Amino acid sequence: MAQEEVPSQDPALPATAYAVLGLLSFGQEVTGYDLRKWAMNMRYFYWSPAQSQIYLELRRLLQHGLVEVHLEEQKSRPDKRLYRITDAGLKVFRDWLDHAPVGPPLLKHSVALRLFFGHQTNHGRLREVLTEYRDWAVEQTNGLTLLRTDLDQALPYPALVATWGSAYFAAEITAIDTVLADLDRMETGQREQD
Amino acid sequence: MAQEEVPSQDPALPATAYAVLGLLSFGQEVTGYDLRKWAMNMRYFYWSPAQSQIYLELRRLLQHGLVEVHLEEQKSRPDKRLYRITDAGLKVFRDWLDHAPVGPPLLKHSVALRLFFGHQTNHGRLREVLTEYRDWAVEQTNGLTLLRTDLDQALPYPALVATWGSAYFAAEITAIDTVLADLDRMETGQREQD
DNA sequence: GTGCCCATGTAAACCGTTACATGATTCC
DNA sequence: GGAATCATGTAACGGTTTACATGGGCAC
């Protein structure tokens, strides 16, 4: 067994690697560039890594024998590297899906953080920040509903996630409205405490 | 001006540094150890960094002159390093609060990711994963309501965030229930397509 | 003709995690 | 008696970001 590609048993891959494997598990043959675009459609619930990171993960998966490449020459442009998942890769991915422990979502909500520290800011600015976030959330729901029409019957599980995402953003919007109303009450309530 | 501590103008601190500064902006004199416990109460909306990271940020803030320390000797235990925010630190923090651009929350929802790839797993396991996440979300709401009783009038802004957090987890729970019901429908619907 | 899209890749910097080390005190 | 708490810190490792580089095709 010289230096042939031996699919190692427990590669202990980083989370991003599994995300890439999962995208490839849909069966298409795609480039790293394509993957990045797909990943951006998932940004609603899973933060997309930098583009350079995706290329790195693909190389790693290749070394582990979990994906395979086939080159497609292009004149005056870097050759296309079309990746496809291997049987070994599919097995590793399914093992991860079925056996990985359930972890909590990783959330860093900078807007909530700024509200938390509201005692150091002026209400005017705080209001701006919250409103801007609310607008952003509205945009996200719009983007998601657009996406969902594309998915619906063709990709049922992604469609479920899209529905979930819509509910999430809807909740954020009403939560912001509640906060905004509470801020009002705090301001006017300061002079008339019973 | 030899090598005295010159508070640099635009330190461009990492997000964690501002979180630490913000906690210190409540005015108390605390240790890194205390900060870590406080940060854990914020894990509902802002992922707590590792303990070693907090100590590192404190040293960095000290170098920038944004916090100051005073030692408290302890026998048979590392000396307490009690940190307090400086005027410069408070200024930097307020500048950040009032001028930092509004960024989207950073979310990596591993459970949603696994639902997204549902075509590669069996429904039984998928159900388990979702249910386990649901249970976790219920725990979080319980923890939050406990917290909120402590905060309420004393810390109004953190209380607002706690309320927001409760709404968030409640939304997650009903979203999971919807997904679970949809999965049922997908299973039974497979044989009786009209 | 300016700017975005394609398509890959390298390099440096660094945030952040994990693991380890210490050692008395306090709670069950 | 064992485990958790207090209280800080170091070292290794690696995931991730940011910046940079290339260069033709295509749309407005």
Side-chain angles (χ1 to χ4, degrees):
Chain A
M1 50 183 88
Q3 60 253 62
E4 45 187 79
E5 293 173 20
V6 178
S8 39
Q9 297 305 50
D10 191 328
L13 299 167
T16 302
Y18 290 108
V20 169
L21 264 188
L23 286 179
L24 289 170
S25 81
F26 285 102
Q28 311 252 351
E29 204 183 31
V30 288
T31 68
Y33 195 85
D34 295 327
L35 282 176
R36 186 168 164 273
K37 283 192 299 185
W38 292 14
M40 291 199 56
N41 286 336
M42 300 163 65
R43 69 179 183 282
Y44 302 100
F45 64 93
Y46 207 87
W47 184 263
S48 299
Q51 150 258 54
S52 60
Q53 186 66 15
I54 291 178
Y55 287 109
L56 187 146
E57 294 299 344
L58 282 171
R59 284 192 291 266
R60 190 205 316 260
L61 292 172
L62 192 61
Q63 279 186 344
H64 285 295
L66 305 181
V67 301
E68 56 190 12
V69 197
H70 115 247
L71 294 187
E72 187 174 291
E73 293 182 20
Q74 292 192 136
K75 30 195 171 182
S76 71
R77 198 177 293 190
D79 287 350
K80 261 190 189 170
R81 298 173 65 83
L82 288 161
Y83 289 90
R84 186 187 324 172
I85 195 168
T86 63
D87 290 345
L90 204 53
K91 182 179 182 312
V92 166
F93 179 63
R94 288 201 182 123
D95 275 9
W96 175 75
L97 264 189
D98 288 347
H99 301 305
V102 178
L106 167 54
L107 177 63
K108 284 193 173 192
H109 206 308
S110 58
V111 173
L113 188 69
R114 285 162 86 161
L115 175 60
F116 190 88
F117 296 135
H119 65 291
Q120 290 291 347
T121 193
N122 53 64
H123 273 204
R125 177 55 181 158
L126 184 53
R127 225 169 254 293
E128 271 179 32
V129 170
L130 289 167
T131 311
E132 196 172 326
Y133 175 65
R134 190 191 188 284
D135 293 344
W136 175 83
V138 171
E139 271 178 47
Q140 304 305 303
T141 49
N142 293 341
L144 266 182
T145 40
L146 273 183
L147 253 190
R148 207 157 15 146
T149 58
D150 287 351
L151 307 173
D152 248 1
Q153 339 74 319
L155 297 169
Y157 295 97
L160 281 182
V161 177
T163 309
W164 181 357
S166 294
Y168 163 69
F169 287 116
E172 286 289 275
I173 292 168
T174 66
I176 291 290
D177 289 338
T178 306
V179 169
L180 251 27
D182 285 346
L183 286 179
D184 278 346
R185 225 167 294 140
M186 283 167 63
E187 278 167 7
T188 63
Q190 266 168 344
R191 65 190 65 133
E192 44 178 16
Q193 288 159 330
D194 46 295
Chain B
M1 52 184 87
Q3 61 254 63
E4 45 187 80
E5 290 174 21
V6 178
S8 42
Q9 297 306 50
D10 192 326
L13 299 167
T16 302
Y18 290 108
V20 168
L21 265 188
L23 286 179
L24 289 170
S25 82
F26 285 102
Q28 310 253 351
E29 205 182 31
V30 288
T31 67
Y33 195 85
D34 295 326
L35 282 175
R36 186 169 164 273
K37 282 192 301 185
W38 292 15
M40 291 199 55
N41 286 336
M42 300 164 65
R43 69 178 183 281
Y44 302 100
F45 64 94
Y46 207 87
W47 184 265
S48 301
Q51 148 258 55
S52 61
Q53 188 67 14
I54 292 179
Y55 287 110
L56 188 146
E57 294 299 343
L58 282 172
R59 284 192 291 266
R60 190 204 317 258
L61 292 172
L62 192 62
Q63 279 186 343
H64 285 296
L66 306 182
V67 299
E68 56 191 12
V69 196
H70 115 246
L71 294 188
E72 187 175 292
E73 293 182 19
Q74 292 192 138
K75 28 192 174 183
S76 72
R77 199 177 293 188
D79 287 351
K80 261 190 189 171
R81 298 174 65 84
L82 287 160
Y83 289 90
R84 187 186 324 174
I85 195 168
T86 63
D87 290 347
L90 204 54
K91 184 180 180 311
V92 165
F93 179 64
R94 288 203 182 118
D95 276 9
W96 175 76
L97 262 189
D98 288 347
H99 302 304
V102 178
L106 166 55
L107 178 63
K108 285 194 171 188
H109 206 308
S110 58
V111 173
L113 188 68
R114 285 163 85 161
L115 175 61
F116 190 89
F117 296 135
H119 65 292
Q120 290 291 347
T121 193
N122 54 64
H123 273 206
R125 176 57 181 158
L126 185 52
R127 224 168 255 293
E128 270 179 34
V129 170
L130 291 167
T131 311
E132 195 173 327
Y133 174 65
R134 191 191 188 284
D135 293 344
W136 176 84
V138 170
E139 271 177 47
Q140 304 305 302
T141 49
N142 292 341
L144 266 181
T145 40
L146 274 183
L147 253 190
R148 207 157 16 145
T149 58
D150 287 351
L151 307 173
D152 249 1
Q153 337 77 319
L155 298 168
Y157 295 97
L160 282 182
V161 177
T163 309
W164 180 357
S166 293
Y168 163 69
F169 287 116
E172 287 289 274
I173 291 169
T174 66
I176 291 291
D177 289 337
T178 306
V179 169
L180 251 26
D182 285 347
L183 285 179
D184 277 345
R185 222 167 295 141
M186 283 168 63
E187 279 167 7
T188 62
Q190 266 169 343
R191 65 189 63 135
E192 44 179 14
Q193 288 159 331
D194 46 296

